[in-house]
């Protein structure tokens, strides 16, 4: 049995912040941001929260699958911005959508989070423990970036994407390659904002910090490698893959990966121009938008890949 995606959904906050808007906050320009990243705009949460966006995306995924929340057995939210240290965002989404019988928990693997959730769901399904899962990537990164740091705040956005998966005897997840490298954790991190106690005294506020060039090198090296491993595991050639759905971090990273895999850039769909980098949400948002547009057809071979803080990475090959 494999985990097979049956329905998808996505949600972006209403407020669209284009690059010119950001230039009113920090010393930057539309030209710099577009040339270095490919990003034109991102959506920022106002009244929306990670949980409200996750719930909206999840309900759309269930509706597209023709399933009820009450049927969901496993509910995983991939997020680093759940809004509460405890309980998990997943438990709060569970309450909001009424997935009463689900086992609900979060996974913290940053931009690889959705791949990690898919990895776990497939393992639970293969073991026979659960027959279905609702997987959500949801983030409000705008709440953890330093809005005075132009080198990071221009990159990120908010949103949520969801996929409902079921056990299937055919198709679905064919192979995957997932990994972590904790020794590089400081390359991209956000220290907790809590942490003060009577002994430690006040702790500095934590914001997202990043060594951009290290992350760039890591992504360009690791993503083609783990996609290659997943392709090999599935017995699929790169040219047989219809689309490569990658974490939407940066246009130049996607172009470099396409080049290394010797595949045309047209096979790497993008929404980062409108969404920025939404971390764990980026892959499921992209997938759900393509699904909604009718681009994904049953039987298509797809390769998915995520990479980010941890450092973490993952790739899988699936038959839609
Ligand atoms: N607007 C204008 N100038 C900016 C800027 C901004 N938003 N951010 C940085 N700069 C400046 C820097 O201060 C620096 O100026 P200096 O030369 O006077 O010191 C200059 O631009 C170059 O900075 P640098 O950091 O070397 O740029 P870069 O070419 O490495 O591009 C990134 C920066 C972040 C776009 C690039 O490193 C990158 O894409 N990294 C991967 C990031 C990523 O995808 N992270 C998430 C992964 S999950």
């Amino acid at each position: 049995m494999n985990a097979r995606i049956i329905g998808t959904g996505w949600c972006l906050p209403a407020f669209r912040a284009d690059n010119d808007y950001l230039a009113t906050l920090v010393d930057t320009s539309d030209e710099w941001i577009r040339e270095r990243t490919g990003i034109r705009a991102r959506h920022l949460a106002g009244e929306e929260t990670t949980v409200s966006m996750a719930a909206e995306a999840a309900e759309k995924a269930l509706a597209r699958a023709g399933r009820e929340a009450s049927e969901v057995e496993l509910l995983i939210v991939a997020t680093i911005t759940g809004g509460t240290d405890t309980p998990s965002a997943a438990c709060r989404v569970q309450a909001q959508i009424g997935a009463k019988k689900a086992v609900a928990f979060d996974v913290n693997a940053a931009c690889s989070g959705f791949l990690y959730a898919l990895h776990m769901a497939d393992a639970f399904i293969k073991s026979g423990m659960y027959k279905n899962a609702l997987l959500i990537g949801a983030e409000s990164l705008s709440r953890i970036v330093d809005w005075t740091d132009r080198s990071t705040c221009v990159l990120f956005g908010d949103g949520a994407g969801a996929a409902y998966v079921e056990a299937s005897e055919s198709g679905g997840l064919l192979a995957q390659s997932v990994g972590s490298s904790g020794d590089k954790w400081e390359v991209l991190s956000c220290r907790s904002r809590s942490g003060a106690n009577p002994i430690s005294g006040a702790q500095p506020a934590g914001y997202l910090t990043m060594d951009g060039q290290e992350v760039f090198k890591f992504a360009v090296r690791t993503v083609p490698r783990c996609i290659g491993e997943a392709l090999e595991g599935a017995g699929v050639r790169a040219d047989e893959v219809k689309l490569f759905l990658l974490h939407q971090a940066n246009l130049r990273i996607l172009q470099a990966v396409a080049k290394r895999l010797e595949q045309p850039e047209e096979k790497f769909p993008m929404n980062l121009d409108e969404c920025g980098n939404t971390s764990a949400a980026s892959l499921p948002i992209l997938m759900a938008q393509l699904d909604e547009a009718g681009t994904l057809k049953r039987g298509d071979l797809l390769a998915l890949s995520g990479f980010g803080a941890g450092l973490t990475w993952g790739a899988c090959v699936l038959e839609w």
Side-chain angles (χ1 to χ4, degrees):
M1 286 288 181
N2 293 338
R4 187 166 203 171
I5 297 173
I6 311 293
T8 61
W10 60 279
C11 171
L12 289 175
F15 184 77
R16 179 181 180 274
D18 63 15
N19 292 340
D20 289 334
Y21 171 78
L22 262 59
T24 67
L25 304 177
V26 287
D27 181 14
T28 190
S29 65
D30 176 50
E31 193 190 3
W32 192 97
I33 302 171
R34 269 192 294 109
E35 280 181 3
R36 302 280 175 130
T37 70
I39 299 167
R40 291 171 187 273
R42 71 289 291 141
H43 290 247
L44 305 179
E47 290 190 353
E48 301 91 347
T49 65
T50 296
V51 167
S52 73
M53 293 186 288
E56 187 174 327
E59 280 173 338
K60 285 183 184 165
L62 287 168
R64 278 185 74 86
R67 301 289 188 269
E68 299 294 330
S70 57
E71 300 172 61
V72 174
E73 297 181 0
L74 176 66
L75 195 170
I76 305 178
V77 177
T79 187
I80 55 167
T81 51
T84 42
D85 285 348
T86 193
S88 63
C91 283
R92 292 159 59 221
V93 172
Q94 173 185 36
Q96 199 155 319
I97 67 174
K100 283 190 171 20
K101 79 172 178 193
V103 172
F105 57 88
D106 289 356
V107 47
N108 177 335
C111 309
S112 314
F114 184 76
L115 254 300
Y116 273 46
L118 201 51
H119 182 58
M120 279 190 274
D122 191 55
F124 277 122
I125 282 171
K126 281 194 165 55
S127 77
M129 195 174 282
Y130 303 118
K131 289 188 288 302
N132 67 50
L134 182 55
L135 311 176
I136 307 167
E139 302 283 10
S140 306
L141 291 169
S142 61
R143 302 198 204 279
I144 61 164
V145 295
D146 178 352
W147 284 100
T148 65
D149 174 13
R150 68 178 181 173
S151 69
T152 52
C153 74
V154 302
L155 303 175
F156 298 100
D158 303 335
Y164 171 80
V165 308
E166 271 180 8
S168 171
E169 279 175 11
S170 62
L173 227 67
L174 304 178
Q176 43 193 319
S177 168
V178 180
S180 325
S181 180
D183 56 341
K184 297 268 172 57
W185 74 270
E186 281 178 302
V187 167
L188 179 52
S189 72
C190 181
R191 287 169 201 268
S192 173
R193 292 189 194 187
S194 53
N197 68 21
I199 302 131
S200 69
Q203 300 288 304
Y207 291 109
L208 202 77
T209 60
M210 178 181 70
D211 179 338
Q213 289 176 10
E214 274 303 310
V215 174
F216 196 97
K217 280 188 266 172
F218 151 71
V220 170
R221 263 197 311 264
T222 309
V223 174
R225 180 174 54 76
C226 68
I227 291 177
E229 287 164 2
L231 286 170
E232 199 181 324
V236 169
R237 292 190 318 272
D239 60 275
E240 293 175 301
V241 173
K242 180 178 172 183
L243 292 174
F244 293 83
L245 310 190
L246 266 52
H247 166 50
Q248 301 286 293
N250 181 306
L251 172 65
R252 291 187 305 152
I253 293 178
L254 301 190
Q255 289 170 331
V257 172
K259 201 168 166 198
R260 288 204 182 192
L261 289 173
E262 299 177 350
Q263 292 298 302
E265 276 176 39
E266 303 76 68
K267 286 173 77 171
F268 292 72
M270 263 176 254
N271 66 6
L272 64 85
D273 55 333
E274 268 300 306
C275 299
N277 177 345
T278 57
S279 191
S282 91
L283 240 178
I285 293 175
L286 178 69
M287 188 165 63
Q289 289 180 336
L290 292 167
D291 187 21
E292 189 180 66
T295 308
L296 308 179
K297 309 264 186 268
R298 288 287 163 218
D300 284 349
L301 289 172
L302 306 178
L304 275 50
S305 182
F307 51 93
L311 296 170
T312 57
W313 61 90
C316 71
V317 174
L318 59 83
E319 184 186 319
W320 188 251

